[in-house]
Amino acid sequence: MVIDMPAAPLPRGMIGTFGYSEKEIEKEAQRLQFAIKQPMRWSIEICRSLAPMTLEINRLKREKDVFLIAHSYQTPDITYGVADSVADSYALSKEARDASQQTILFSSVRFMAETAKIVSPHKTVLHPSPDAGCSLSDSIEAEDVIALKEKYPGVPVVCYINTSAAVKAECDVCVTSSNYLRICEKLPGDQLIFVPDRFMGRHLQNSLEGKKEVILYDGECEVHAEFTGPKIRTWKKNMNDNGIDLVVLSHPECDAEVLAESDFIGSSELLMNEAISLARKGRRNLMLITECGTADRVLAEAEDHLNLMGTCVMCRHMKKTQLEDILESLTDPRPSQIVEIDEDTLNRASKTLDEMFRLAE
Ligand code: 13P
Ligand code: SF4
């Protein structure tokens, strides 16, 4: 759910030295540049200018015993500068649930921070960018699910994790990009309702053909909807014509035609792991059909040389968070940076997530 906008723009570029010495800043700048591993885009000057802020965020995290988790689509200064853990939405929900710290700071979009609050209701969950939405979670409201349940009584309702707490509260089980096929196969009956991603729903429909009917909703991810089958086919043909053995890896939020052209389909984390493992085996020409953050992670974490061909699309919602927002929510959070969910919604949404954990393991 989109909470209030800040009264004034967040202070950007508020970079002082925070009292750190030149030597400390230089050491931190080198750590950042080494970790990000993209010296052309993240020059030492840029890293030097960010270093006081990453040092200060890391100090505050330790002082306040905060667990800072970041989704793979956050920018590298966050993922490699200040995050304690970076992963896909499923792994991060589990980490939020199991964290020993009483405060979790989730650098990501709102539905992910809400999910952290649902799975750890007694912890304080900080969300630096309260207005960071998602085209999928914004495409559906609780009333839409209620209407579907009235139209198809008794049919299990599955929601993708990219939904608000209020939508989750109306559903039977939640799924993520790393477990939707496995969980949906296990559900009773020969029908299921899948909301809100029509692309992932269609992929599910194709996979369950002959076993279950999947009733779809019409949401889509504005980022993954940019990729089309013909675009991927053209790339593959051009590469093949030039003797390049291209491996295509796609996120399941893409259109069925894109997925049909792909050699591997998986969550942001699975795509990264597969790319790294392919490079290790000598298959170095890879095309990542997803948000740009996954490519940033592959470049940072692959030990072998690889060529990332083609392009990626940036999620404007995921990229809303900056180090300044994280610093603000750690220092003196605005009320909207502290995730609150009413008790009834939280309890009902919690059952939907518990069912996911039960079926996914
Ligand atoms: P992952 O669970 O694969 O990280 O996906 C979340 C998401 O929003 C992808 O667009
Ligand atoms: Fe939502 Fe798509 Fe952005 Fe993921 S990439 S947060 S699904 S808009």
Side-chain angles (χ1 to χ4, degrees):
M1 185 176 294
V2 178
I3 316 289
D4 62 317
M5 294 284 288
L10 290 165
R12 305 287 185 198
M14 45 183 278
I15 308 167
T17 62
F18 296 102
Y20 293 103
S21 67
E22 245 177 68
K23 202 170 153 204
E24 286 168 315
I25 292 171
E26 191 57 30
K27 192 172 164 212
E28 175 70 350
Q30 286 183 17
R31 179 188 76 83
L32 286 174
Q33 207 194 27
F34 180 75
I36 295 171
K37 290 206 188 78
Q38 294 185 61
M40 302 292 280
R41 297 175 67 206
W42 295 84
S43 67
I44 194 67
E45 290 76 21
I46 290 177
C47 293
R48 220 173 263 139
S49 76
L50 298 171
M53 221 171 345
T54 57
L55 282 168
E56 185 60 3
I57 289 171
N58 286 322
R59 185 191 71 76
L60 283 167
K61 243 173 43 183
R62 284 191 298 273
E63 181 188 290
K64 302 189 174 193
D65 195 26
V66 174
F67 185 45
L68 199 162
I69 51 181
H71 186 262
S72 301
Y73 298 170
Q74 299 292 282
T75 48
D77 51 339
I78 295 175
T79 50
Y80 295 103
V82 296
D84 296 310
S85 181
V86 187
D88 64 14
S89 52
Y90 181 68
L92 292 178
S93 321
K94 281 212 308 192
E95 291 195 26
R97 183 194 64 183
D98 301 337
S100 59
Q101 294 86 343
Q102 272 313 298
T103 305
I104 294 162
L105 188 151
F106 205 151
S107 187
S108 186
V109 289
R110 192 66 176 187
F111 77 82
M112 290 195 189
E114 274 194 358
T115 304
K117 181 69 184 175
I118 299 166
V119 298
S120 46
H122 304 299
K123 294 175 194 161
T124 301
V125 176
L126 300 172
H127 183 224
S129 326
D131 58 333
C134 160
S135 69
L136 273 172
S137 72
D138 294 342
S139 71
I140 186 161
E141 297 194 355
E143 291 68 33
D144 300 310
V145 183
I146 294 169
L148 279 166
K149 290 199 288 191
E150 280 168 7
K151 193 167 171 197
Y152 302 100
V155 176
V157 188
V158 182
C159 59
Y160 188 32
I161 197 160
N162 297 38
T163 43
S164 66
V167 165
K168 287 186 178 78
E170 294 300 332
C171 298
D172 298 301
V173 60
C174 179
V175 296
T176 74
S177 56
S178 66
N179 58 33
Y180 65 106
L181 294 173
R182 202 162 5 119
I183 290 184
C184 289
E185 260 193 359
K186 291 183 185 169
L187 294 179
D190 54 10
Q191 278 189 312
L192 64 90
I193 298 168
F194 186 81
V195 298
D197 188 344
R198 67 190 170 101
F199 292 139
M200 191 177 283
R202 198 156 305 136
H203 187 238
L204 184 64
Q205 212 169 37
N206 293 342
S207 311
L208 293 178
E209 197 164 355
K211 292 190 215 156
K212 278 181 200 293
E213 183 197 349
V214 181
I215 298 155
L216 299 177
Y217 191 75
D218 66 356
E220 64 178 37
C221 161
E222 66 190 37
V223 170
H224 292 90
E226 287 293 315
F227 301 102
T228 63
K231 274 193 206 169
I232 315 301
R233 271 195 294 279
T234 310
W235 270 96
K236 280 171 79 171
K237 186 177 175 319
N238 288 344
M239 295 300 121
N240 284 342
D241 289 353
N242 286 288
I244 296 171
D245 175 24
L246 185 67
V247 187
V248 179
L249 304 100
S250 304
H251 195 278
E253 287 168 14
C254 293
D255 180 82
E257 255 199 279
V258 172
L259 300 182
E261 294 292 336
S262 305
D263 302 290
F264 183 85
I265 300 166
S267 72
S268 54
E269 191 72 11
L270 293 175
L271 290 180
M272 182 191 73
N273 291 339
E274 181 68 10
I276 291 174
S277 135
L278 283 164
R280 199 173 300 136
K281 291 179 206 147
R283 306 225 28 212
R284 302 212 158 89
N285 299 310
L286 312 176
M287 195 174 187
L288 281 170
I289 307 299
T290 189
E291 209 275 343
C292 304
T294 303
D296 285 330
R297 288 197 68 200
V298 171
L299 292 171
E301 295 184 33
E303 276 163 19
D304 306 86
H305 168 74
L306 44 76
N307 304 316
L308 291 182
M309 326 284 279
T311 185
C312 59
V313 176
M314 215 176 252
C315 174
R316 65 195 167 105
H317 310 289
M318 283 282 185
K319 300 310 196 228
K320 265 193 179 147
T321 315
Q322 293 188 222
L323 289 171
E324 286 88 340
D325 305 313
I326 295 178
L327 187 57
E328 182 188 28
S329 61
L330 267 177
T331 315
D332 183 16
R334 283 175 280 131
S336 59
Q337 288 175 319
I338 304 171
V339 179
E340 299 287 0
I341 302 169
D342 75 79
E343 201 179 330
D344 175 59
T345 306
L346 191 144
N347 288 339
R348 289 189 296 129
S350 163
K351 288 194 185 123
T352 308
L353 283 159
D354 284 349
E355 191 59 358
M356 169 178 82
F357 291 128
R358 188 180 74 80
L359 291 170
E361 304 296 294

